[in-house]
């Protein structure tokens, strides 16, 4: 199985930067995968919402309803929290389990997901609109890698013994935090679920997860695998539902010990306020961005253009870390713009189940309208529309790959997160200037520099106030490397060893001894 | 149930993912210690075979090689895959292990093989978590460390836990990215060779692991002396440990880690749970026919409970059932070979001569095979040979003590320092004694409680370095600090 995966694996499977897949390697997708699970998942059981309500989930390629999904609200959240709390009580199977066995369960989950790669990729594409080739080659494999990575950490979370003053023996225990509320977005449904479950479960927590109302289906299928591989009941509970009801109920719950939220900065504010108003639960946030991508005149032009294109347009522009302010040094600006436009015009927009498609629809009507609104503001405020600029089809939420040149820092499209296939190209002269302009934002999620000069690379990467800096690449992710934001792009880091800290509560134990010796 | 009439598949030298015959043409007989029969013959490695293996390991370690270019997470995946294959072949490996080493089949199946699988999975998980640091040095510099593999690692393993020792050695080495030349014990090469086949099946590139069966003075010595081996890890007797360290010093100053013998004290206080302590001390000594570096071979019992403790220990020893290790219901198999057999009997004789009280056993057992009766000596004093020398057989020594300070001092007066056990219900005593004992592992109210996450190794002449746990990674990593001049350092 491994060898098959390795031969299918791409040169940079851990990075989604250059997906050099061939259509021949990907099996033909079923564009109408069956939905098996559309209810709430609590205590390893499928349940209707107490209210009996349900909501439709839409196929963004067509605007049509895929199916109805049970809609959780406060009462259901209470049930789920109760189940998670029960699974966390001292002496429970989950608390008594060897850490290595927690790791084994995560590995088994990864195996089961790998087994069902094709189906999961189909369901993801149906619900989210991302091209199937990407779901299959990138999203699902990265999910598997993330879970395997955290499976490995489970029995390696170590406290310390500490040489304290006095006749004492002192040590720390790295304990799980408890019941963790997790609210995930719609842009990478499967991957965001894995980023949240991996560290939480490896460290022994229990989870109440609310999935995005736009894209609940793949998360619910994963719930069935969680049960299949043997996680005890109540360890993971998954609730489809709306932000203002189910999401708010979790954020404000007095018995949820921690909340992790990925989504817009706007809602991030609400989450933090809700924690403060309720029980001061620990909060980690992964929010929006307006990430600067800085191209110096000595950069490899072809690579810079290609990577910048990928940095913005990947996932229909729906990435928190999208390189949405492309700063190009004066002397190469014209050529860069020309080449970028050429590349954007080649982008194939269409049915995501077609393996030749580069770009699918935006996720829903709201996003679609919002993006068109931004494009409109760009035109109004005097940016130069170089290509695209409108809807790309008559049905579904497709938008043409759009590029604005001559963008100024104070334009709306240069300041606000668009979350769509709209690229902004700005001009700069020198390094100090561009670092200052790049930092002049409330966001601070990611950034990039393209240059051959080692000194310039260091200067800029040290100066940028962002959680990730990519040098001569973009969107390179690995389960091993931490990811998160400065400033209003969030707090806390996900992935890597750092990701464990958010899910760990440190307890210091100090024992009196008759005579301490070193 | 063990596999009946098991055929041995792999008997050659494993280099570069290929099976080779011996350069010298030599063959080694592999014996079944329960019967004395020859199981098969295995190609006998020679120093030329070691050279070949080292060349193959060196090539696999070249900058730009598949192994060096591989994602760390993929190295971890390969180790996980190997664990899966061991799990698939668990019955076969357990049967082979019992036949070759004389250990009980049920122990091989439920203990040795389980530990092997867990060790491979544990270190598979570490592969992509071996992290250097970025460091705030003075001046306009950007400094970081890379935790690189050391290179070609020579590994020499013993016959008491053949397949488990194989996993303990290759797992941390491979997870850190090294390549390996490993010599299994001449008494027990068979499971190592089957593992070699699984390593190839799992997909490790050629040359990453090379297995050269052979004798200590030839193959072992060639490894320890080799100018192109970067590190040697040895588990075995303290006497040979000294030779390894000398050879490393004589040759290229290769890094050395040693896991050697022990004469491990178990201290039983009067306030313990007596029955439980007797049972733990019993299995702490007699496990694996007494052939454990960890064997609790000096049992110090506090005066008030001494008589009762001896009485119950003898009862347990007498109840042991010896026989064919493949048959369930048997408690103890044969010793590994004639040499060990003779040495154990000689030490038993010395115990008699020097005045210890022989409570039970003391002689061989059975018509064929190398079986020794479970033996208990009481009234042992610290100066006796049986109290000082490692016996490596089913011979338990029980001595009395009066006070805490006395027993700690007596426990520590040994050149060894591998493990120790303390039985008491008093927290203060437990913490005080465990801090005072010069031993790499101290067990409180238990014995032989081991797990892959926890480091294992000795103080003093029981060795140096630690295996298992995160600590093991230090032994297979070379730290490189890289410092880059930059025009302006900012915090």
């Amino acid at each position: 199985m491994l060898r098959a995966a390795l031969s299918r694996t791409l040169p940079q499977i851990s990075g989604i930067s250059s997906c050099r897949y061939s259509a021949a390697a990907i099996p033909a997708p079923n564009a109408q995968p069956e939905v098996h699970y559309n209810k709430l998942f609590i205590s390893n059981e499928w349940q209707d919402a107490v209210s009996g309500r349900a909501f439709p989930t839409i196929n963004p390629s067509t605007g049509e309803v895929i199916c109805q999904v049970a809609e959780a609200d406060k009462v259901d959240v209470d049930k789920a929290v109760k189940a998670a709390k029960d699974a966390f009580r001292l002496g429970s199977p989950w608390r008594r389990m060897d850490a290595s066995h927690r790791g084994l369960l995560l590995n088994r989950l990864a195996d089961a997901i790998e087994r069902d790669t094709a189906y999961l990729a189909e369901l993801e594409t149906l619900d989210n609109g991302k091209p199937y080739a990407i779901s299959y080659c990138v999203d699902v494999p990265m999910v598997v890698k993330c879970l395997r990575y955290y499976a490995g950490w489970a029995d390696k979370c170590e406290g310390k013994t500490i040489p304290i003053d006095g006749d004492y023996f002192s040590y720390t225990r790295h304990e799980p935090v408890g019941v963790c509320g997790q609210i995930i977005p719609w842009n990478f449904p499967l991957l965001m679920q894995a980023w949240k479950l991996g560290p939480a479960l490896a460290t022994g927590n229990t989870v109440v997860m609310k999935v995005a109302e736009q894209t609940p289906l793949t998360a619910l299928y994963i719930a069935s695998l969680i049960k299949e591989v043997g996680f005890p009941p109540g360890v993971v509970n998954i609730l489809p539902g709306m932000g203002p009801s189910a999401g708010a109920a979790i954020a404000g719950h007095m018995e949820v010990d921690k909340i992790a939220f990925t989504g817009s900065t706007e809602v991030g504010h609400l989450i933090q306020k809700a924690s403060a108003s309720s029980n001061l639960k620990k909060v980690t946030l992964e929010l929006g961005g307006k990430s600067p991508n800085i191209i110096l005149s000595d950069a490899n032009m072809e690579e810079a253009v290609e990577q910048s294109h990928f940095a913005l347009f990947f996932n229909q522009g729906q990435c928190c870390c999208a390189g949405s302010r492309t700063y190009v040094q004066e002397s190469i600006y014209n050529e860069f713009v020309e080449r970028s436009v050429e590349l954007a015009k080649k982008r194939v927009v269409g049915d995501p189940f077609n393996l030749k498609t580069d770009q699918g629809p935006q996720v829903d009507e709201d996003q679609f309208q919002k993006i068109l609104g931004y494009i409109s503001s760009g035109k109004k405020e005097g940016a130069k529309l170089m290509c695209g600029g409108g809807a790309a089809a008559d049905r579904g939420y497709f938008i043409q790959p759009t590029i604005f040149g001559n963008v100024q820092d104070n334009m709306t499209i240069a300041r606000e997160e668009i979350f769509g296939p709209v690229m902004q190209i700005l001009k700069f002269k020198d390094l100090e200037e561009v670092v200052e302009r790049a930092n002049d934002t409330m966001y601070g999620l990611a950034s990039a520099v393209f240059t051959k000069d080692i000194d310039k690379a260091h200067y800029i990467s040290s100066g940028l106030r962002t959680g990730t800096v990519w040098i001569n690449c973009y969107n390179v992710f690995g389960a091993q490397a931490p990811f998160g934001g400065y400033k209003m792009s969030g707090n806390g880091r996900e992935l890597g060893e750092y990701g464990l800290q958010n899910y760990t509560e440190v307890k210091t134990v100090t024992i009196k001894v008759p005579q301490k010796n070193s | 149930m063990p596999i009946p009439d098991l055929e041995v598949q792999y008997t050659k030298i494993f280099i570069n993912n290929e099976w080779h015959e011996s350069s010298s043409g030599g063959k080694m007989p592999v014996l079944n210690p329960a019967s004395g029969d020859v199981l098969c013959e295995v190609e006998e490695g020679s120093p030329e075979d070691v050279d070949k293996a080292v060349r193959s390991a060196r090539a696999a370690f070249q900058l730009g090689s598949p192994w060096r270019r591989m994602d760390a997470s993929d190295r971890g995946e390969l180790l996980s895959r190997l664990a899966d294959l061991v799990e698939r072949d668990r019955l076969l490996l357990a049967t082979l292990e019992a036949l070759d080493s004389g250990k009980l089949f049920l122990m091989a199946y439920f203990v040795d093989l389980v530990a092997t699988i867990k060790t491979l999975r544990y270190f598979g998980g570490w592969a992509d978590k071996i992290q250097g640091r970025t460091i705030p040095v003075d001046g306009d510099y950007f400094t970081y460390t890379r935790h690189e593999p050391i290179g070609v690692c020579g590994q020499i393993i013993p016959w008491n836990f053949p397949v488990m020792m194989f996993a303990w050695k290759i797992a941390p080495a491979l997870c850190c990215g090294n390549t390996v030349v490993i010599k299994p014990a001449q008494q027990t090469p068979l499971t190592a060779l089957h593992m070699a086949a699984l390593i190839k099946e799992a997909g490790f590139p050629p040359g990453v692991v090379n297995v050269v069966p052979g004798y200590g003075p030839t193959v072992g010595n060639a490894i320890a002396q080799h100018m192109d081996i970067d590190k040697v890890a040895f588990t075995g007797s303290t006497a040979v440990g000294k030779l390894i360290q000398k050879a490393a010093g004589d040759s290229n100053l290769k890094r050395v880690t040693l896991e050697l013998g022990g004469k491990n004290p178990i201290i039983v206080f009067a306030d313990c749970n007596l029955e439980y302590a007797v049972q733990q001390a019993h299995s702490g000594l007699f496990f694996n026919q007494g052939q454990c570096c960890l064997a609790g071979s000096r049992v110090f019992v506090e005066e008030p409970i001494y008589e009762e403790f001896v009485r119950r220990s003898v009862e347990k020893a007498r109840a042991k059932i010896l026989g064919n290790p493949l048959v369930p219901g048997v408690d103890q198999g044969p010793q590994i070979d004639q040499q060990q057999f003779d040495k154990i009997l000689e030490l038993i004789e010395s115990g008699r001569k020097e005045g210890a009280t022989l409570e039970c056993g003391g002689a061989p057992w059975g018509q064929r095979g190398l079986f020794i009766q479970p033996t208990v000596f009481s009234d042992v004093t610290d100066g006796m040979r049986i109290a000082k020398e490692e016996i490596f057989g089913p011979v338990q020594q029980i001595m009395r003590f009066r006070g805490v300070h006395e027993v700690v001092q007596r426990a520590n007066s040994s050149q060894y320092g591998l493990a120790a056990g303390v039985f008491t219900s008093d927290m203060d005593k437990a913490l005080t004694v465990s801090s005072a004992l010069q031993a790499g592992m101290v067990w409180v109210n238990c014995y032989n409680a081991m797990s892959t996450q926890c480091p294992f190794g000795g103080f003093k002449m029981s060795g140096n370095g630690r295996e298992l746990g995160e600590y093991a990674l230090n032994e297979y990593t070379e730290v490189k600090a890289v410092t880059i001049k930059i025009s302006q350092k900012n915090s």
Side-chain angles (χ1 to χ4, degrees):
Chain A
M1 181 169 77
L2 175 73
R3 237 171 292 163
L6 281 179
S7 62
R8 186 183 68 211
T9 321
L10 318 158
Q12 289 164 284
I13 193 60
S14 64
I16 49 180
S17 47
S18 23
C19 200
R20 283 184 285 272
Y21 50 86
S22 79
I26 307 166
N30 169 7
Q32 290 170 323
E34 227 184 285
V35 175
H36 300 294
Y37 304 102
N38 63 347
K39 295 190 180 186
L40 315 186
F41 182 79
I42 300 177
S43 255
N44 282 10
E45 284 164 6
W46 297 101
Q47 312 181 3
D48 287 312
V50 167
S51 68
R53 284 219 309 277
F55 67 94
T57 184
I58 312 279
N59 176 350
S61 301
T62 60
E64 286 164 7
V65 174
I66 300 170
C67 66
Q68 296 289 322
V69 178
E71 184 185 331
D73 66 20
K74 188 173 182 320
V75 179
D76 307 289
V77 168
D78 285 340
K79 273 168 81 181
V81 170
K82 186 165 178 309
K85 196 160 166 211
D86 197 54
F88 190 73
R89 72 180 192 287
L90 211 60
S92 73
W94 186 238
R95 294 298 295 279
R96 298 271 299 122
M97 191 181 282
D98 285 337
S100 58
H101 198 82
R102 293 201 303 262
L104 198 66
L105 289 177
L106 279 167
N107 259 319
R108 283 202 200 136
L109 180 60
D111 290 343
I113 291 171
E114 196 166 40
R115 175 195 73 198
D116 295 347
T117 298
Y119 171 73
L120 280 162
E122 286 158 7
L123 200 57
E124 188 87 317
T125 291
L126 184 70
D127 208 4
N128 165 282
K130 63 178 73 210
Y132 176 78
I134 305 276
S135 301
Y136 188 88
C137 293
V138 178
D139 293 62
V140 178
M142 286 186 77
V143 166
V144 170
K145 287 199 154 203
C146 176
L147 293 175
R148 291 218 167 105
Y149 177 78
Y150 279 106
W153 268 122
D155 61 355
K156 302 171 180 66
C157 297
E158 301 169 342
K160 304 185 195 302
T161 61
I162 297 164
I164 197 175
D165 289 358
D167 285 320
Y168 300 100
F169 168 50
S170 200
Y171 62 90
T172 52
R173 273 173 50 86
H174 284 197
E175 302 190 348
V177 175
V179 174
C180 298
Q182 305 185 315
I183 301 177
I184 61 173
W186 47 257
N187 58 345
F188 293 89
L190 280 168
L191 191 57
M192 292 295 99
Q193 183 186 40
W195 280 25
K196 295 278 182 293
L197 291 181
L201 298 178
T203 44
N205 296 278
T206 58
V207 164
V208 174
M209 174 180 278
K210 180 197 109 44
V211 299
E213 57 270 31
Q214 296 87 341
T215 53
L217 300 181
T218 46
L220 293 175
Y221 184 79
I222 298 288
S224 75
L225 299 183
I226 285 168
K227 177 176 180 172
E228 178 189 325
V229 303
F231 282 89
V235 171
V236 179
N237 306 276
I238 303 198
L239 307 176
M242 305 297 161
S245 50
I250 293 173
H253 207 288
M254 292 300 288
E255 306 213 83
V256 168
D257 301 296
K258 176 234 164 45
I259 185 151
F261 169 77
T262 297
S264 68
T265 296
E266 188 192 335
V267 176
H269 283 281
L270 300 177
I271 302 278
Q272 190 134 318
K273 276 194 263 195
S275 158
S277 310
S278 56
N279 64 346
L280 288 173
K281 56 177 63 62
K282 284 109 178 73
V283 179
T284 49
L285 303 171
E286 203 273 280
L287 308 175
K290 193 69 185 178
S291 303
N293 180 14
I294 300 170
I295 320 291
L296 303 190
S297 57
D298 71 346
N300 176 321
M301 172 65 76
E302 196 177 319
E303 268 174 31
V305 168
E306 191 191 299
Q307 288 294 304
S308 303
H309 174 88
F310 172 66
L312 190 291
F313 290 104
F314 181 67
N315 208 43
Q316 294 67 250
Q318 300 168 143
C319 287
C320 47
C321 54
S324 49
R325 288 184 290 154
T326 310
Y327 287 96
V328 183
Q329 201 156 26
E330 218 172 32
S331 59
I332 54 163
Y333 177 85
N334 289 331
E335 187 184 349
F336 186 93
V337 171
E338 195 182 309
R339 287 186 184 231
S340 299
V341 170
E342 200 180 305
L343 198 52
K345 283 183 169 154
K346 288 203 194 101
R347 204 166 174 74
V348 176
V349 181
D351 170 18
F353 280 102
N354 185 325
L355 297 181
K356 294 202 173 67
T357 295
D358 296 319
Q359 182 178 309
Q362 308 311 122
V363 81
D364 66 9
E365 175 78 33
D366 271 353
Q367 288 296 311
F368 180 76
Q369 293 301 343
K370 183 170 151 205
I371 297 160
L372 290 178
Y374 278 116
I375 292 176
S376 181
S377 85
K379 288 174 185 158
K380 273 206 201 74
E381 293 178 1
K384 186 169 174 205
L385 183 68
M386 309 294 301
C387 66
D394 293 327
R395 57 172 216 150
Y397 311 118
F398 297 87
I399 293 183
Q400 297 169 336
T402 298
I403 297 186
F404 281 106
N406 291 355
V407 176
Q408 304 303 319
D409 289 355
N410 58 0
M411 294 178 181
T412 307
I413 55 173
R415 303 208 68 77
E416 294 182 24
E417 190 179 36
I418 300 174
F419 233 62
V422 185
M423 182 185 244
Q424 285 61 241
I425 310 185
L426 307 91
K427 200 186 290 188
F428 76 93
K429 268 201 184 66
D430 60 47
L431 300 197
E432 286 81 12
E433 168 212 339
V434 75
V435 168
E436 214 182 293
R437 287 169 65 190
N439 284 338
D440 179 23
T441 166
M442 65 181 195
Y443 292 116
L445 189 55
S447 58
V449 184
F450 285 82
T451 177
K452 291 200 182 86
D453 185 300
I454 193 173
D455 217 46
K456 287 182 190 151
H458 273 290
Y459 173 76
I460 296 184
S461 58
S462 300
L464 290 170
R465 304 293 293 165
T466 64
T468 297
V469 182
W470 286 298
I471 301 182
N472 292 333
C473 58
Y474 207 96
N475 275 345
V476 175
F477 284 89
Q480 307 87 358
F483 181 86
Y486 281 42
K487 301 167 9 183
M488 288 175 81
S489 285
N491 61 56
R493 292 290 174 271
E494 297 194 287
L495 300 187
E497 183 178 4
Y498 298 77
L500 300 171
Q501 291 168 16
N502 308 327
Y503 288 97
T504 294
E505 194 78 69
V506 176
K507 171 187 287 174
T508 303
V509 180
T510 297
I511 307 176
K512 174 107 190 66
V513 298
Q515 190 192 96
K516 178 260 313 279
N517 277 274
S518 66
Chain B
M1 286 304 295
I3 296 175
D5 303 319
L6 181 61
E7 244 183 75
V8 177
Q9 254 182 300
Y10 304 104
T11 58
K12 294 192 179 176
I13 299 171
F14 183 77
I15 297 177
N16 229 38
N17 279 11
E18 287 158 4
W19 298 101
H20 294 251
E21 273 158 23
S22 157
S23 299
S24 66
K27 298 213 190 313
M28 303 185 306
V30 181
L31 297 170
N32 177 346
S35 61
D37 294 337
V38 174
L39 286 168
C40 65
E41 274 188 339
V42 159
E43 297 294 316
E44 180 195 334
S46 67
E48 285 101 88
D49 296 305
V50 171
D51 282 339
K52 256 203 264 165
V54 173
R55 277 199 296 275
S56 152
R58 179 61 62 195
F61 190 73
Q62 280 312 300
L63 217 56
S65 73
W67 187 237
R68 295 298 297 277
R69 298 272 298 121
M70 191 180 283
D71 285 340
S73 57
D74 281 336
R75 289 202 306 263
E77 264 300 284
L78 285 175
L79 280 167
S80 265
R81 174 82 172 129
L82 182 59
D84 291 342
L85 293 176
V86 172
E87 205 157 25
R88 180 195 70 192
D89 290 358
R90 184 176 167 190
L91 192 56
L92 188 161
L93 282 161
T95 306
L96 202 57
E97 190 85 314
L99 285 169
D100 201 1
S101 74
K103 68 173 64 221
L104 304 180
F105 167 78
L106 287 176
M107 286 296 159
Y109 190 83
F110 285 110
V111 177
D112 298 55
L113 264 301
V114 170
T116 298
I117 292 162
K118 287 190 165 197
T119 300
L120 293 169
R121 290 203 197 286
Y122 177 80
F123 284 104
W126 266 120
D128 61 353
K129 302 170 179 64
I130 297 167
Q131 300 169 157
R133 312 195 191 305
T134 60
I135 299 165
V137 292
D138 290 357
D140 283 321
Y141 301 101
F142 167 52
T143 294
Y144 62 90
T145 51
R146 274 172 51 86
H147 284 199
E148 302 191 349
I150 302 179
V152 176
C153 299
Q155 306 185 314
I156 300 171
I157 57 176
W159 46 259
N160 57 347
F161 294 89
V163 77
M164 192 176 93
M165 291 291 102
F166 188 92
W168 280 28
K169 291 284 183 283
I170 66 159
L174 297 178
C175 106
C176 295
N178 297 279
T179 57
V180 161
V181 173
I182 182 165
K183 173 191 139 359
Q186 60 263 30
Q187 298 90 338
T188 53
L190 300 182
T191 44
L193 294 175
H194 190 92
M195 289 297 289
L198 297 184
I199 282 166
K200 177 174 179 174
E201 187 182 341
F204 284 88
V208 170
V209 179
N210 306 277
V211 184
V212 184
Y215 293 99
T218 49
V219 173
N221 183 58
I223 289 175
Q225 292 275 2
H226 209 286
M227 291 300 287
D228 205 23
I229 286 181
D230 302 298
K231 177 229 165 57
V232 65
F234 169 77
T235 297
S237 69
T238 296
V240 176
K242 289 181 169 186
L243 298 177
I244 302 275
Q245 187 137 315
K246 269 194 258 193
D250 271 338
S251 56
N252 64 344
L253 290 172
K254 55 174 66 59
R255 286 105 181 82
V256 179
T257 50
L258 302 170
E259 202 273 281
L260 308 176
K263 192 69 186 177
N264 309 294
I266 297 182
I267 300 171
V268 185
F269 286 97
D271 64 3
C272 71
N273 175 331
L274 184 58
E275 182 53 35
Y276 179 70
V278 166
Q279 180 212 92
Q280 288 288 300
H282 175 85
S283 56
L285 189 292
F286 288 98
F287 180 64
N288 209 44
Q289 291 71 248
Q291 299 166 145
C292 284
C293 48
L294 296 172
S297 48
R298 288 183 292 155
V299 187
F300 291 95
V301 184
E302 200 171 11
E303 179 66 67
I305 53 164
Y306 174 82
E307 299 291 346
E308 183 60 17
F309 189 97
V310 170
R311 194 188 66 72
R312 294 195 194 199
S313 300
V314 170
E315 205 177 290
K316 277 206 153 39
R318 284 207 171 109
K320 269 183 124 51
I321 299 169
L322 276 65
N324 179 351
L326 295 182
V327 173
V330 168
D331 297 319
Q332 185 177 309
Q335 307 310 122
I336 186 69
D337 64 13
Q338 191 68 43
Q339 200 183 13
Q340 287 295 314
F341 181 82
D342 291 338
K343 177 177 152 201
I344 296 161
L345 290 175
E346 197 245 321
L347 278 158
I348 290 176
E349 193 48 42
S350 82
R352 273 202 185 92
K353 276 211 191 73
E354 292 180 344
T357 304
L358 180 66
E359 297 276 353
C360 67
W365 176 95
Q367 311 289 26
R368 27 178 243 150
L370 302 159
F371 295 84
I372 294 181
Q373 295 170 358
T375 300
V376 179
F377 279 107
S378 65
D379 297 321
V380 177
T381 56
D382 293 358
M384 295 176 182
R385 281 184 64 201
I386 55 172
K388 288 170 37 171
E389 295 175 34
E390 189 178 38
I391 302 174
F392 233 62
V395 186
Q396 185 180 44
Q397 285 63 240
I398 309 182
M399 31 268 263
R400 44 175 116 221
F401 77 91
R402 282 198 174 69
V404 176
H405 294 294
E406 169 212 336
V407 75
V408 166
Q409 203 215 11
R410 286 168 66 189
N412 282 341
S413 28
S414 164
Q415 61 180 293
Y416 293 114
L418 188 54
V422 183
F423 287 85
T424 176
S425 57
D426 182 283
M427 184 164 69
D428 271 353
K429 238 179 256 165
L431 289 173
T432 300
V433 173
S434 56
S435 295
L437 288 169
Q438 293 162 353
M441 281 148 322
V442 181
W443 286 299
V444 178
N445 292 334
C446 56
Y447 203 81
N448 275 346
M450 288 203 293
S451 192
T452 24
Q453 304 85 1
C454 178
F456 177 100
F459 281 39
K460 305 190 308 197
M461 289 176 82
S462 286
N464 60 55
R466 292 292 177 270
E467 298 193 285
L468 301 187
E470 184 176 0
Y471 297 76
L473 303 174
N474 295 336
E475 319 290 3
Y476 285 98
T477 293
E478 194 77 63
V479 177
K480 170 189 288 174
V482 179
T483 296
I484 305 177
K485 174 101 189 71
I486 54 179
S487 49
Q488 192 193 100
K489 179 255 318 277
N490 277 273
S491 69

